Amino acid sequence: IGFFMVVAGGFLFSSTYGFQLDKKRWRCREYSSVFWIKRGDWISLDTLPDVSILSGKSGFVVRSMSNRATENTTANYTVYLLSKTHRTKVMVKRFEDHGRAKEFAESLAAEIDGNLKKYSPAVSAQTRRRR
């Protein structure tokens, strides 16, 4: 039983998620890592020419036995690499401050010769037919 607890602890301790940029081969990937082995598909940076910042909120609610609720929400700003149609997006990094997110997005766009754009995905033909 001790062996299984060590393996489970190692799994929890070594599990991470992240973004990797390979400028030599002009590609990137989102990866998950277990026991320090990274897994994720590489995507060419030629297919991801745009950089964008999307805002969101995350939080939780705690309820007591007397049904009182305490809410905790925080705003976050996530930098994404986007395809030309903005239908495909790859998360790069998440920030709690909009200024830092914008600064990072501008430097990333300059680094990959991309464009900092507002997120506006193209409407597909299938969606137009439904409307």
Side-chain angles (χ1 to χ4, degrees):
I1 203 164
F3 174 75
F4 293 111
M5 291 183 72
V6 168
V7 170
F11 177 82
L12 292 173
F13 177 73
S14 69
S15 297
T16 60
Y17 175 82
F19 173 80
Q20 196 171 15
L21 181 64
D22 183 2
K23 289 194 292 184
K24 287 183 181 177
R25 295 188 181 159
W26 203 245
R27 61 186 185 166
C28 68
R29 71 175 172 175
E30 285 181 287
Y31 68 85
S32 59
S33 173
V34 177
F35 293 114
W36 301 279
I37 299 170
K38 294 179 183 176
R39 292 184 182 178
D41 296 330
W42 289 99
I43 302 170
S44 171
L45 286 173
D46 293 328
T47 62
L48 302 168
D50 297 334
V51 179
S52 185
I53 303 170
L54 277 70
S55 62
K57 289 186 178 182
S58 61
F60 59 90
V61 176
V62 178
R63 297 192 185 276
S64 68
M65 296 276 288
S66 62
N67 206 23
R68 292 185 192 163
T70 302
E71 246 180 86
N72 184 8
T73 58
T74 57
N76 57 55
Y77 303 92
T78 309
V79 177
Y80 286 95
L81 287 175
L82 303 170
S83 64
K84 289 179 184 176
T85 61
H86 293 192
R87 288 288 196 175
T88 303
K89 58 185 179 182
V90 176
M91 186 179 99
V92 179
K93 195 168 183 178
R94 181 172 287 155
F95 296 90
E96 291 183 4
D97 179 46
H98 184 267
R100 289 181 53 214
K102 187 170 184 177
E103 184 180 306
F104 178 81
E106 288 170 346
S107 69
L108 179 64
E111 189 174 349
I112 65 166
D113 297 327
N115 309 310
L116 184 59
K117 289 192 174 179
K118 181 178 178 184
Y119 178 69
S120 60
V123 179
S124 68
Q126 184 179 11
T127 302
R128 273 191 238 118
R129 280 194 300 264
R130 283 194 307 238
R131 290 184 180 174

